[in-house]
């Protein structure tokens, strides 16, 4: 029997409504029973962990459903599912899409677990968890969408829920400002994408990605700039990245982890799917990505060097890290270098783990000590040794030091550059190394501040709810660095599929 | 099941024990270093003892490899690691590797014992000892690795471990900036290594270091020269060859003494190990092309290090610059490409390990007893600390190459190798350098232990025996190795023979 392609998506979307209803019911029941003096926040706190666990459960359930899909997609090729008619929901599960979906669901589940404690001082949690589930649903939808209509729809679902989540702490000014900026820029991006889709439809009369590829009408290429700008905003390609540092810096840390780890990558994934479906030649597309990559790495790292807020620094580092992913895929598509594509895809995975981990650590620091400015964090590593050590693993991994996960993905990209045997490949490699070195220029001092001895702090207890997701991700960063086979087993079929699409 | 019984015949079983010994030398310290930070309560007091025992056991396990090596060949251990990329978890040891392995595990054991007393008033000792072990297994792993990627991973673990030790336990407020400088400098060297390693890997398709030799004949000589240069620079930074030495004086003087001992007596030699392991794989014309520049670099280091040691005012920095000079000897010996010179070079690694550890331990005892590190503020200590004065005198004579101490044996071999080359002038210069060494070493002893004692100098008599014992042991070794050098001669001869360069 074929596994149902729409089930993970259905679980996430139904789960969002279910969690909202349950949260409301619990709240209502409590309100009737409790003294009228009690505030919403206190009411919520009592059920918070239940709701968080419920949400994690929904995420994991969706994740478990991806496994049979993955097996089937590897075994017998992409699986399709869909309702009839031009505007029905049509999904297709292939290795690349399932890879993205697994990342989104995996990181999302950890973030919900983390939020159980991290968000315990915030109100309105009956909105927070459903929004997070909708965001995950949007990403899974993008990953599995079979036509442009659904791609756009799920892209909007992801974007709109993330606008709301960025501005979730609406009682403060900065998050709202950041969310509004993200909303305006993201909205322009969506409009661009819609325009592009209309052009494609005008040229080919098709919306299905496979059908568009079959129609291969060069007039449809007119839409390419619109897609690049539209999805480029979502993917924060330099110079369209200006919303990112604000949004990532001001969002609740769990949401920052999601944005940096999977949301912007989903935007890039959408761009990749659409442009390849349009029959845009991989060689030119690769060159374009390489150009964006070199720009992104350099700008991201240079901007990260001058940041004073930890989370903004991490945000700019994401701009740079997405550059490495683009570089791998770009060199791979331009030159046909297999290792580079594999490295780029593997870096998607390792970066999600490492950047997720570093944002979660930054969140714990803010939660336990209230500090946001880097220079005030002196000695925090001694107060919260687990967080300090995990943050160290994360940033050293991001800088590409062995034996951590980031090294494994970066050396694959580097090896791909060597395989090209062309001057451009060597230049890219030199830029990659120079940027890795440059990034050490802010990662190491940040670690140095955390473990500075100038301000002795008392050791603090760390809640298990916060420690668990951090431990999981830290273990992942270490294990993928020492034993990358499980990660490569996910990335290899996806890499094969990328080359299949190129043909 | 029957098949398995047959494959493990008696002879096979013996082999497999040795092979697993190889694995145990690495995994045992790794396990202990993970356990140490978790120890609580009563056990937390024993972390230093456990760490020293672990390192001592690694030393004994390395010794236990000798009988098997005497039976011929090498000992190897191999498991698939990342099969999809053709990379194995391959360990291998021959006589060359064994020499370095004995050197580094022995030095680590003694400096860990020394640390019991030297570090006892410091904080976070469990983490300190765990990182010391990480530093050690980083070095041991680099020596044992047969796979280039594995080699690089351990090479960087060594850097991470040592850098964290300097940053977290270094003396004074400059510790972090010195650690950053150390990291960036040596990491640039490592990146050059990575570049050439991956280029070798992509060109030959082989990631086994030991198999390179047969494959490099087919690679373009121009490219090989570039790779040779990159490797030499990469290893030269670690070895602190002039002009790549600038990280060394700072790092050695800021690091806590046990770490300094490991840096100077064990880690610098790793640079020579890398050269010895990689460079002879290159075709003879390439090696001969670089012989002269390397000889010149060796002589320059000898003189530069010696003169800086004469000019320095701080005790630790004097001994630190002496390392630059001594590594110049070792490089000179290797660059002669003559059998005798290369033997002298590896023998010098052992002797330098003994002597440099001895000198630093003496300086540490003086610093512990007086609390001072400037030579001008010391003097006349021979009466108060006769044992330390004696040991330091032995160390100074040995490093100057005076018979009957151990330094003499390696130095004459190196110079004899120098006269076997056509560059007689350089050989003459190299032979003059020990005069400079004698100058700074004996003058150092004279200024610290003899002459008038400053009025304000107070000497504490509470130096623990655990600090004195390694010092005495090393001075006995320095004399014994000088009086009865036959075992070391045999070891050096076999080490060079195992490179298989004859012809």
């Amino acid at each position: 029997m074929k596994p149902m392609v729409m089930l993970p998506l259905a679980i996430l979307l139904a789960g969002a409504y279910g969690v909202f209803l349950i949260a409301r019911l619990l709240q209502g029941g409590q309100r009737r029973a409790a003294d009228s003096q009690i505030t919403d926040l206190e009411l919520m706190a009592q059920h918070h962990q239940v709701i968080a666990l419920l949400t994690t459960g929904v995420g994991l359930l969706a994740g478990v459903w991806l496994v049979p899909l993955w097996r089937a997609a590897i075994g017998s090729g992409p699986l399709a599912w869909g309702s009839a008619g031009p505007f029905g929901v049509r999904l297709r599960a292939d290795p690349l899409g399932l890879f993205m979906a697994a990342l989104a669901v995996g990181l999302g589940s950890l973030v919900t677990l983390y939020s159980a404690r991290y968000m315990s001082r915030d109100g309105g949690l009956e909105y927070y968890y459903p929004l997070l589930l909708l965001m995950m649903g949007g990403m899974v939808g993008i990953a599995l969408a079979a036509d442009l209509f659904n791609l756009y729809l799920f892209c909007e679902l992801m974007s709109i829920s993330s606008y709301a989540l960025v501005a979730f702490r609406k009682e403060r000014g900065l998050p709202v400002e950041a969310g509004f900026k993200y909303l305006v820029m993201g909205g322009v991006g969506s409009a661009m994408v819609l325009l592009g889709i209309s052009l494609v439809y005008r040229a080919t009369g098709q919306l299905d990605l496979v059908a568009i590829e079959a129609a291969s009408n060069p007039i449809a290429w007119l839409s390419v700039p619109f897609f690049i700008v539209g999805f480029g905003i979502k993917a924060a390609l330099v110079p369209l990245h200006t919303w990112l540092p604000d949004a990532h810096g001001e969002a609740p840390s769990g949401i920052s982890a999601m944005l940096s780890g999977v949301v912007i990558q989903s935007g890039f994934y959408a761009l990749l799917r659409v442009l390849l479906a349009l029959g845009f030649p991989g060689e030119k597309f690769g060159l374009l990505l390489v150009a964006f990559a070199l720009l992104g790495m350099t700008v991201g790292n240079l901007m990260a060097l001058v940041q004073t807020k930890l989370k903004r620094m991490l945000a700019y580092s994401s701009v740079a890290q997405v550059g490495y992913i683009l570089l791998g895929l770009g060199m791979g598509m331009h030159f046909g270098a297999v290792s580079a594509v594999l490295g780029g895809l593997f870096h998607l995975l390792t970066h999600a783990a490492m950047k997720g981990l570093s944002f979660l650590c930054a969140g714990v620091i803010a939660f336990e000590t209230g500090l946001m400015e880097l220079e005030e964090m002196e000695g925090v590593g001694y107060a919260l040794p687990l967080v300090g050590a995990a943050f160290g693993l994360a940033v050293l991994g991001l800088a590409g030091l062995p034996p951590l996960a980031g090294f494994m993905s970066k050396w694959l990209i580097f090896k791909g550059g060597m395989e090209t045997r062309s001057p451009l490949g060597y230049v890219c490699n030199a830029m990659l190394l120079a940027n890795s070195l440059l990034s050490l220029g802010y990662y190491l001092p940040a670690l140095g501040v955390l473990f500075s001895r100038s301000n002795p702090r008392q050791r603090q207890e760390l809640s298990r709810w916060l420690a668990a997701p951090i431990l999981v991700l830290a273990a992942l960063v270490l294990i993928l660095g020492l034993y990358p086979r499980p990660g490569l087993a996910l990335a290899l079929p996806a890499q094969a599929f990328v080359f299949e699409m190129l043909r | 099941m029957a098949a398995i019984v047959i494959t493990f015949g008696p002879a096979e079983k013996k082999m497999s024990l040795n092979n697993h010994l190889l694995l145990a030398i690495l995994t045992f310290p790794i396990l202990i270093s993970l356990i140490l930070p978790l120890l609580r309560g009563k056990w937390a007091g024993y972390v230093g003892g456990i760490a020293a025992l672990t390192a001592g056991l690694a030393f004994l396990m390395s010794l236990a490899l000798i009988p098997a090596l005497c039976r011929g060949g090498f000992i190897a251990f191999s498991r698939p690691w990342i099969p999809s990329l053709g990379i194995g978890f391959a360990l291998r040891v021959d006589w060359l590797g064994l020499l370095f392995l004995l050197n580094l595990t022995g030095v680590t054991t003694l400096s860990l014992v020394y640390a019991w007393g030297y570090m006892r008033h410091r904080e976070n000792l469990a983490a300190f000892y765990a990182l010391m072990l990480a530093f050690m297994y980083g070095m041991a792993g680099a020596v044992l690795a047969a796979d280039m990627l594995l080699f690089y991973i351990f090479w960087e673990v060594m850097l991470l471990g040592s850098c964290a030790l300097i940053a977290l336990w270094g003396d004074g407020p400059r510790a972090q900036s010195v650690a950053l400088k150390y990291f960036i400098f040596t990491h640039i060297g490592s990146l050059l290594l990575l570049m050439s390693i991956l280029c070798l890997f992509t060109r030959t398709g082989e990631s086994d270091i030991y198999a390179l030799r047969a494959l490099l004949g087919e690679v373009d000589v121009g490219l090989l020269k570039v790779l040779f240069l990159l490797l030499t620079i990469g290893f030269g930074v670690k070895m602190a060859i002039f002009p790549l030495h600038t990280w060394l004086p700072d790092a050695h003087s800021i690091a806590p003494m046990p770490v300094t001992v490991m840096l100077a007596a064990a880690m610098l030699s790793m640079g020579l190990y890398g050269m010895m392991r990689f460079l002879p794989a290159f075709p003879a014309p390439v090696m001969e092309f670089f012989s002269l520049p390397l000889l010149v670099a060796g002589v320059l280091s000898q003189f530069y290090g010696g003169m800086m040691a004469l000019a320095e005012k701080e005790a630790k920095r004097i001994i630190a610059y002496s390392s630059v000079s001594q590594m110049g000897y070792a490089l000179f010996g290797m660059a002669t490409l003559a059998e005798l010179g290369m033997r002298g070079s590896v023998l010098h690694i052992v002797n330098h390990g003994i002597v440099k550890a001895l000198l630093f331990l003496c300086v540490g005892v003086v610093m512990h007893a007086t609390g001072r590190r400037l030579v001008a503020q010391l003097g006349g200590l021979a009466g108060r600390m006769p044992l330390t004065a004696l040991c330091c005198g032995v160390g100074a004579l040995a490093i100057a190459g005076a018979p009957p101490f151990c330094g003499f044996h390696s130095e004459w071999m190196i110079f004899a190798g120098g006269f076997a080359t056509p560059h007689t002038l350089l050989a003459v210069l190299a032979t003059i350098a020990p005069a400079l060494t004698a100058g700074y070493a004996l003058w150092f002893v004279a200024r610290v232990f003899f002459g008038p004692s400053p009025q304000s100098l107070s000497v504490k008599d509470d130096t623990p025996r655990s600090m004195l014992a390694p010092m005495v042991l090393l001075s006995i070794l320095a004399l014994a190795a000088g009086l009865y050098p036959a075992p070391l001669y045999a070891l050096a001869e076999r080490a060079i023979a195992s490179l298989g360069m004859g012809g």
Side-chain angles (χ1 to χ4, degrees):
Chain A
M1 196 187 86
K2 271 190 180 176
M4 295 272 276
V5 177
M6 49 75 74
L7 253 177
L9 196 56
I11 292 172
L12 286 172
L13 297 182
Y17 290 100
V19 167
F20 177 73
L21 283 178
I22 292 172
R24 270 295 161 116
L25 279 176
L26 284 172
Q27 212 175 9
Q30 194 77 18
R31 191 183 297 279
R32 277 192 299 280
D35 189 55
S36 56
Q37 299 291 319
I38 202 163
T39 63
D40 278 1
L41 194 57
E42 285 162 358
L43 262 178
M44 208 49 219
Q46 297 173 9
H47 295 299
H48 184 192
Q49 288 166 356
V50 179
I51 297 170
L53 272 184
L54 201 66
T55 317
T56 312
V58 171
L60 287 180
L61 195 63
V64 167
W65 267 104
L66 289 173
V67 177
L69 283 181
W70 174 263
R71 290 229 177 99
I74 300 280
S76 54
L79 301 170
W81 180 90
S83 49
F87 299 114
V89 177
R90 271 200 299 253
L91 303 175
R92 195 175 294 120
D94 51 52
L96 184 62
L98 288 169
F99 177 71
M100 292 298 298
L103 283 188
V105 170
L107 190 61
S109 304
L110 283 174
V111 165
T112 50
L113 194 62
Y114 172 85
S115 301
R117 175 92 184 118
Y118 176 76
M119 295 300 287
S120 60
R121 293 175 196 154
D122 292 77
L125 293 169
E126 71 271 37
Y127 302 112
Y128 178 82
Y129 290 101
L131 277 171
L132 196 50
L133 281 176
L134 286 179
M135 186 173 163
M136 284 156 68
M139 283 184 281
V140 172
I142 293 173
L144 302 181
D147 60 51
L148 285 176
F149 172 72
N150 284 301
L151 190 72
Y152 176 76
L153 195 77
F154 287 116
C155 192
E156 281 302 275
L157 182 63
M158 171 188 88
S159 300
I160 292 170
S161 44
S162 52
Y163 306 146
L165 284 169
V166 166
F168 189 74
R169 286 169 172 163
K170 57 185 187 298
E171 65 282 1
R172 298 190 205 158
L174 285 174
V176 175
E177 187 192 332
F180 190 69
K181 187 171 177 184
Y182 184 22
L183 167 70
V184 171
M185 289 191 66
V188 172
S190 301
M192 290 284 189
V193 170
L194 202 55
L195 212 57
I197 291 174
S198 66
L199 281 172
V200 173
Y201 190 64
R202 173 78 181 73
T204 64
Q206 298 289 347
L207 283 175
D208 190 278
L209 290 171
V210 176
I212 292 170
E213 199 171 1
S216 74
N217 186 346
I219 295 172
W221 290 8
L222 282 176
S223 63
V224 166
F226 294 102
F227 284 125
I228 289 175
V229 173
F231 288 127
I233 289 176
K234 312 263 178 196
L237 302 182
V238 174
L240 306 168
H241 67 287
T242 48
W243 61 270
L244 181 142
D246 293 314
H248 292 212
E250 296 302 334
S253 288
I255 302 307
S256 311
M258 290 295 281
L259 290 177
S260 265
V262 283
V263 171
I264 51 178
Q265 284 79 353
S266 292
F268 168 65
Y269 168 85
L271 179 67
L272 183 74
R273 290 314 289 257
V274 172
L275 255 57
L276 288 183
L278 284 172
F280 197 64
E283 217 164 286
K284 284 182 190 156
F285 189 28
L287 209 56
L288 189 74
L289 289 185
V290 167
F292 273 122
L294 295 181
L295 198 63
M297 290 194 301
T298 315
V299 170
N301 277 328
L302 286 177
M303 291 301 290
L305 270 176
V306 297
Q307 298 304 316
T308 57
K309 275 189 176 178
L310 179 60
K311 279 179 75 176
R312 273 183 86 89
M313 186 197 93
L314 291 174
Y316 273 112
S317 123
S318 290
V319 174
Q321 296 287 331
V322 168
Y324 299 130
I325 297 170
L326 297 187
L327 187 68
L329 284 162
M331 284 200 298
M333 291 201 280
H334 186 67
F335 296 104
V338 178
S339 299
V341 171
L342 183 62
L345 290 170
F346 193 39
H347 199 66
L348 269 173
L349 171 63
T350 57
H351 174 252
M354 296 183 298
K355 190 50 67 65
L357 180 57
S358 48
F359 267 119
L360 295 192
C361 288
V364 175
I365 292 171
F367 184 81
E368 295 288 349
T369 66
L371 300 176
M372 304 291 281
E373 292 287 334
L374 191 54
E375 60 182 14
E376 291 169 1
M377 293 185 186
E378 285 170 335
V380 166
Y382 296 108
L384 300 160
L386 175 72
V387 177
F391 186 77
L393 283 185
V395 295
L396 293 178
L398 285 170
L401 288 173
L404 303 167
F407 169 71
M408 277 295 161
S409 41
K410 276 193 192 172
W411 86 262
L412 276 172
I413 299 174
F414 192 87
K415 179 168 172 276
M418 285 286 181
E419 278 171 10
T420 63
R421 298 201 184 188
S422 86
L424 179 63
Y426 296 149
V427 168
C428 289
N429 270 352
M431 291 291 284
L432 179 71
L433 285 191
N435 268 295
S436 288
L437 207 59
L438 192 60
S439 68
L440 278 171
Y442 52 90
Y443 290 136
L444 286 182
L447 258 187
V449 170
L450 286 189
F451 287 101
S452 159
R453 277 172 289 171
S454 59
N455 181 6
R457 287 173 194 265
Q458 283 303 307
R459 196 170 166 158
Q460 279 174 275
E461 282 303 310
L462 184 63
S463 152
R464 282 184 195 167
W465 293 94
L466 295 175
I470 285 181
L471 273 176
V472 170
L473 282 176
L476 201 63
V477 170
L478 201 57
I479 289 170
L480 284 181
L482 290 171
Y483 190 70
R485 257 160 92 178
L488 286 177
L490 281 176
L492 270 170
Q495 170 246 318
F497 187 77
V498 169
F499 280 102
E500 214 169 287
M501 286 198 299
L502 280 176
R503 266 191 283 111
Chain B
M1 288 306 283
I4 296 170
V5 174
I6 292 162
T7 41
F8 283 88
E12 288 280 322
K13 215 169 205 171
K14 211 162 215 171
M15 270 309 279
S16 87
L17 182 69
N18 279 320
N19 299 351
H20 287 98
L21 207 55
L22 214 56
L23 189 66
I25 292 174
L26 276 185
T27 45
F28 182 60
I30 292 178
L31 274 181
I32 298 291
S33 73
L34 293 177
I35 293 170
L36 281 183
L38 303 176
L39 294 180
R40 291 278 179 275
K42 185 181 73 163
W43 284 97
Y46 298 124
V47 281
I50 297 171
L53 271 181
T54 310
L57 202 62
F59 179 71
L60 291 179
M61 286 194 281
S62 315
L63 277 180
L65 293 170
I66 289 179
L69 279 177
C70 280
R71 284 197 292 273
F74 51 84
I75 305 168
F77 177 89
S78 170
R79 284 281 177 280
W81 181 30
I82 321 176
S84 52
L85 303 167
I87 288 165
F89 182 83
L91 305 176
R92 197 182 238 221
V93 72
D94 55 10
W95 283 104
L96 181 72
L98 186 80
L99 183 140
F100 283 89
L101 197 60
L102 288 174
N103 177 40
L104 72 92
T105 48
V107 166
T108 310
T109 312
L110 290 181
S111 52
L112 282 170
V113 171
Y114 190 80
W116 297 346
Y118 192 87
M119 300 294 292
R120 84 188 137 175
H121 300 301
R122 307 296 295 271
E123 285 176 357
N124 300 316
L125 283 181
F128 173 80
Y129 286 111
L131 280 169
M132 287 287 272
L133 285 180
F135 188 11
M136 182 189 82
Y137 64 69
M139 292 192 282
V143 169
L144 291 178
D147 186 282
M148 287 194 285
L149 198 71
L150 198 62
F151 172 86
Y152 182 77
I153 288 177
F154 280 116
W155 189 260
E156 289 295 86
V157 169
M158 162 171 94
L159 171 60
L160 278 176
S162 54
C163 186
L165 284 166
I166 296 174
L168 299 180
W169 287 273
D171 303 331
R174 283 176 61 230
Q176 286 206 349
S177 46
V178 165
L180 186 64
K181 178 179 173 187
Y182 166 60
F183 194 96
I184 297 290
F185 257 83
T186 40
H187 189 59
I188 292 176
S190 306
L191 290 179
L192 298 182
L193 280 187
L194 182 67
M195 242 189 254
S196 36
I197 283 175
L198 281 177
C199 197
L200 287 172
F201 183 34
T202 44
R203 288 298 158 114
T204 62
E206 179 59 74
S207 72
D208 190 334
I209 304 170
Y210 293 78
L212 278 182
R213 195 179 161 76
L215 297 166
L216 286 187
E218 292 159 20
V219 181
D220 173 44
V221 173
L223 178 70
L224 282 183
K225 280 182 181 165
V226 174
L227 294 180
F228 192 100
L229 187 68
L230 290 180
L231 284 172
T232 313
I233 295 175
F235 291 126
V237 172
K238 199 59 116 188
M239 212 171 150
I241 289 300
F242 177 85
L244 309 168
H245 67 284
T246 51
W247 61 271
L248 179 138
D250 284 330
H252 283 206
S253 64
I254 293 294
M257 194 56 82
V259 180
T260 311
V261 170
M262 283 178 69
L263 285 174
M267 196 192 76
L268 293 184
S269 348
M270 293 303 296
L272 189 80
Y273 173 78
M275 288 194 192
M276 288 270 187
R277 181 56 76 211
F278 278 88
L279 301 188
F282 285 75
V286 179
M287 287 199 72
E288 278 151 20
F289 179 80
F290 281 98
S291 171
L292 181 62
L294 288 182
L295 285 174
V296 172
V299 171
L300 276 177
S301 294
Q302 280 181 325
F303 278 91
Y304 176 82
M307 287 197 261
M308 290 305 284
L310 273 176
E312 267 299 337
K313 296 184 179 68
E314 197 189 295
K316 259 180 129 176
R317 287 178 79 95
I318 292 175
I319 312 296
Y321 269 114
S322 134
S323 298
V324 176
S325 166
Q326 295 298 311
M327 284 297 128
Y329 286 78
L331 181 68
F332 185 87
M334 198 209 73
T336 58
L337 301 180
E339 177 97 26
L340 203 54
M342 295 185 78
R343 268 191 228 166
S345 175
V346 291
L347 188 57
H348 199 65
I349 290 304
V350 178
N351 291 338
H352 175 254
I354 296 172
V355 175
K356 192 47 59 69
L358 171 59
L359 283 173
F360 269 124
L361 293 187
C362 293
V363 172
V365 171
V366 169
M367 279 168 56
H368 176 86
T370 64
R372 298 180 179 187
R373 46 167 66 205
L374 287 179
V375 172
Q377 295 176 356
L378 295 164
L381 286 173
R384 300 296 307 273
M385 317 171 72
L387 186 65
T388 314
L390 184 67
C391 292
C392 199
V394 169
L397 286 172
I399 206 169
F405 297 105
C406 60
F408 169 71
H409 296 286
S410 46
E411 287 179 18
W412 79 258
M413 284 163 91
I414 291 172
F415 303 141
F419 283 107
T421 63
H423 314 293
T424 316
L425 179 65
L426 283 173
V428 170
L429 281 174
T431 319
I432 294 172
L436 199 58
T437 313
Y440 70 74
L442 295 178
W443 192 37
F444 172 75
V445 175
R447 282 183 294 170
V448 172
F449 292 100
F450 299 99
S453 180
Q455 286 289 314
S456 55
L457 188 66
S458 65
V459 180
K460 285 188 288 178
D461 282 329
D462 65 339
T463 310
R465 290 216 181 113
S466 63
M467 285 172 72
L468 296 177
M471 189 176 80
V472 173
L473 181 67
L474 281 171
S475 38
I476 292 171
L477 262 179
L479 184 62
L483 290 175
Y484 184 62
L488 286 180
Y489 271 74
L491 187 59
E493 186 190 341
R494 290 181 182 189
I496 296 305
S498 67
L499 288 178
M501 287 181 58

